[in-house]
Amino acid sequence: MKNTTIPIVTLDGPGGSGKGTVSLILATQLGWHMLDSGALYRGLALAAHRHNVSLDNETALATLAAHLDVQFKPLPDLSVTQVILEGQDVSRALRSEACGTAASQIATIPAVRQALLARQRAFLNAPGLVADGRDMGTVVFPSALIKIFLTASIEERAKRRYKQLINIGIDAKLPTLITEIAERDQRDSTRNIAPLMAADDANIIDTTGVFIDNVVASILSVIRKELSVVNMHT
Ligand code: DC
């Protein structure tokens, strides 16, 4: 059953499919809250590194996840959300591909996912939520009003990631990124728990070669259509 009390838009898809950028624009335009669930997994991976917790120590990782001291602070112009981990701005450190890989590794642990579940659901507040991740539409918000699954070719996703990294001053090499992203896709989509996949009722959008503004426009038209159907019945 779709939950229409507080509208939720879920955006799932592999790394570089445009989820992060699209979510931020949508949340800003709609004036809704935003959940970047990948940043929670990345923050946990960084906290583990800083506390010398090994990435295969499931018990210690689950405890760390349950007590993770992380906050999201949108900047006044809403163009970026700062991530504050244990009092320190880690927004840039979180973006490295090494951090993404570590996040993908710990994301295979059921106790870690369970510990982060309530925390993700707590982002649901009026007037609405845009939730970005891998399992937003399948596990975290299965009754979301609107579900989007973004994809793009691996070459295009790696090029986007390359540009993002270079823009924030992180060194990157395109062939290495293609390999790392392909490995991460494989791990994320074949894990036993909450794998990366489109929900049965998701709108699948291939963003290869499509300008971001056009992706946003087509998602906004899906949102408006769904919201008008809800309003007609309330
Ligand atoms: O979206 P991202 O690149 O910031 O995510 C980093 C990793 O975190 C991703 O490779 C897998 C994991 N992740 C997850 O398992 N479930 C989510 N909802 C979000 C991210």
Side-chain angles (χ1 to χ4, degrees):
M1 259 274 280
K2 287 189 172 183
N3 181 354
T4 53
T5 325
I6 302 177
I8 307 172
V9 180
T10 59
L11 276 111
D12 290 304
S17 56
K19 292 172 292 134
T21 313
V22 170
S23 300
L24 197 57
I25 300 175
L26 285 175
T28 308
Q29 292 201 2
L30 294 162
W32 290 5
H33 298 278
M34 182 182 150
L35 163 63
D36 173 1
S37 60
L40 279 176
Y41 287 93
R42 285 173 185 259
L44 179 61
L46 192 60
H49 177 69
R50 292 187 171 173
H51 293 287
N52 289 318
V53 172
S54 143
L55 295 185
D56 56 10
N57 187 340
E58 301 195 1
T59 315
L61 286 168
T63 307
L64 200 56
H67 300 101
L68 192 66
D69 173 11
V70 66
Q71 280 143 24
F72 294 87
K73 283 196 181 166
L75 288 187
D77 68 356
L78 297 176
S79 60
V80 186
T81 301
Q82 269 187 336
V83 186
I84 312 294
L85 179 70
E86 296 167 353
Q88 202 191 352
D89 179 4
V90 294
S91 318
R92 186 171 173 278
L94 287 195
R95 297 310 350 143
S96 77
E97 202 42 42
C99 190
T101 298
S104 161
Q105 285 167 359
I106 59 173
T108 61
I109 303 170
V112 163
R113 302 199 75 85
Q114 184 59 37
L116 293 180
L117 203 53
R119 194 169 203 137
Q120 294 173 81
R121 291 188 175 145
F123 277 77
L124 179 55
N125 286 298
L129 176 70
V130 179
D132 148 6
R134 302 289 185 289
D135 61 341
M136 298 294 101
T138 50
V139 175
V140 183
F141 300 111
S143 57
L145 183 63
I146 299 132
K147 298 182 187 177
I148 308 288
F149 190 87
L150 294 184
T151 64
S153 72
I154 179 107
E155 290 77 16
E156 177 141 345
R157 292 191 285 119
K159 276 188 205 150
R160 289 179 190 159
R161 195 41 63 78
Y162 177 81
K163 278 192 203 151
Q164 284 167 351
L165 291 173
I166 298 298
N167 278 345
I168 57 170
I170 296 181
D171 193 26
K173 294 197 173 45
L174 197 53
T176 317
L177 275 180
I178 292 181
T179 311
E180 286 171 345
I181 290 177
E183 280 172 11
R184 197 137 69 85
D185 285 354
Q186 170 74 7
R187 191 186 302 107
D188 291 348
S189 42
T190 56
R191 67 184 175 219
N192 291 328
I193 179 164
L196 162 66
M197 61 184 236
D200 290 341
D201 50 350
N203 297 268
I204 299 175
I205 302 178
D206 188 336
T207 67
T208 312
V210 184
F211 285 119
I212 208 85
D213 288 354
N214 294 340
V215 178
V216 171
S218 58
I219 298 177
L220 275 173
S221 79
V222 176
I223 297 174
R224 292 208 176 98
K225 199 171 122 223
E226 289 290 344
L227 286 178
S228 68
V229 172
V230 170
N231 290 336
M232 259 168 35
H233 293 95
T234 50

